[in-house]
Amino acid sequence: NAGVTQTPKFQVLKTGQSMTLQCAQDMNHNSMYWYRQDPGMGLRLIYYSASEGTTDKGEVPNGYNVSRLNKREFSLRLESAAPSQTSVYFCASSRDGASMLGNQPQHFGDGTRLSIL
Amino acid sequence: DAKTTQPTSMDCAEGRAANLPCNHSTISGNEYVYWYRQIHSQGPQYIIHGLKNNETNEMASLIITEDRKSSTLILPHATLRDTAVYYCIVRVWEQGGKLIFGQGTELSVKP
């Protein structure tokens, strides 16, 4: 049971570099999410996708872009990395679709630890 | 902002029940209460959720008060592996049904 798979697990970037964080789920879920977690804090939503072909901003979208490539994959891109984006990034998925019933749990990957120098 | 308040930390003896309280006095009638835990820096692990009825699964029980303003997560026989940060979350309807994580309760299970 792979669940939600994130790659890479660790990455170090220099300020101004770009990179894409990959996320894939094998549970046939409709919704996918990207969160970030900073030291001593809970997770904050960056972007989400309620269904294939749709994406929307969360609480902290500045500096990021996303692509819902297909139902399985949801990628997060940093176009010009900044030290403030040093964080642990978590991808999650849920069976909830556009109806947003809210009664299906989100399942998380193990995260990508990103450091920007 | 998180719609929940939890104690910062709790201790529990191994083998005993761990009862983790949560207040969510501003919860709306159609918002679910979710519990997750996070061990070290792993991804949050789903535990249980409920709307207004008590719920039980293989991991835990969730007791929600009749007025829905508070709830308690019960781990019936805590083990050392249950040491983690436990998050009580009210899942809101906006932004795709996002989870708003607060500070959580750091549960230490001691031998």
Side-chain angles (χ1 to χ4, degrees):
Chain A
N1 291 339
V4 178
T5 302
Q6 294 184 237
T7 56
K9 295 189 183 305
F10 302 93
Q11 185 70 47
V12 179
L13 293 178
K14 295 180 179 179
T15 297
Q17 287 185 315
S18 61
M19 81 160 294
T20 299
L21 281 61
Q22 306 287 352
C23 174
Q25 51 91 9
D26 63 1
M27 297 174 282
N28 199 36
H29 283 173
N30 292 303
S31 298
M32 297 186 74
Y33 308 80
W34 277 105
Y35 292 85
R36 62 177 286 175
Q37 185 174 31
D38 300 304
M41 297 180 66
L43 281 69
R44 292 180 293 170
L45 182 67
I46 304 171
Y47 270 94
Y48 68 98
S49 171
S51 61
E52 185 179 351
T54 67
T55 62
D56 287 286
K57 296 178 179 180
E59 301 170 71
V60 289
N62 291 343
Y64 305 95
N65 286 302
V66 290
S67 296
R68 183 76 183 267
L69 304 172
N70 47 55
K71 192 171 186 179
R72 290 187 64 248
E73 298 172 288
F74 188 38
S75 62
L76 178 72
R77 183 164 179 82
L78 286 70
E79 292 291 351
S80 179
S84 61
Q85 295 177 304
T86 293
S87 190
V88 182
Y89 291 86
F90 291 102
C91 177
S93 70
S94 168
R95 189 175 298 173
D96 286 319
S99 62
M100 288 298 121
L101 294 177
N103 63 347
Q104 298 295 325
Q106 294 181 21
H107 297 277
F108 286 81
D110 286 334
T112 294
R113 284 146 186 80
L114 181 61
S115 293
I116 300 165
L117 307 177
Chain B
D1 291 339
K3 299 181 71 172
T4 62
T5 55
Q6 301 176 250
T8 302
S9 63
M10 295 180 63
D11 291 339
C12 178
E14 187 178 21
R16 303 296 295 271
N19 295 276
L20 288 82
C22 179
N23 289 320
H24 32 79
S25 59
T26 62
I27 192 170
S28 298
N30 57 1
E31 291 176 335
Y32 284 79
V33 177
Y34 277 77
W35 283 83
Y36 281 78
R37 71 181 182 184
Q38 192 171 25
I39 299 172
H40 299 300
S41 296
Q42 296 177 19
Q45 179 187 22
Y46 165 74
I47 301 172
I48 199 167
H49 73 285
L51 184 61
K52 51 187 174 182
N53 297 320
N54 297 339
E55 303 287 346
T56 296
N57 63 20
E58 65 277 6
M59 290 183 68
S61 294
L62 174 61
I63 309 298
I64 303 174
T65 58
E66 191 168 346
D67 62 8
R68 303 216 320 127
K69 293 184 177 181
S70 65
S71 61
T72 301
L73 177 74
I74 302 172
L75 307 178
H77 306 287
T79 71
L80 299 178
R81 290 182 296 178
D82 292 322
T83 293
V85 178
Y86 286 76
Y87 294 99
C88 171
I89 298 165
V90 171
R91 190 172 182 190
V92 299
W93 286 86
E94 71 240 33
Q95 294 184 337
K98 68 180 179 182
L99 300 170
I100 303 177
F101 286 77
Q103 294 298 312
T105 295
E106 188 167 2
L107 177 68
S108 295
V109 181
K110 300 181 183 299

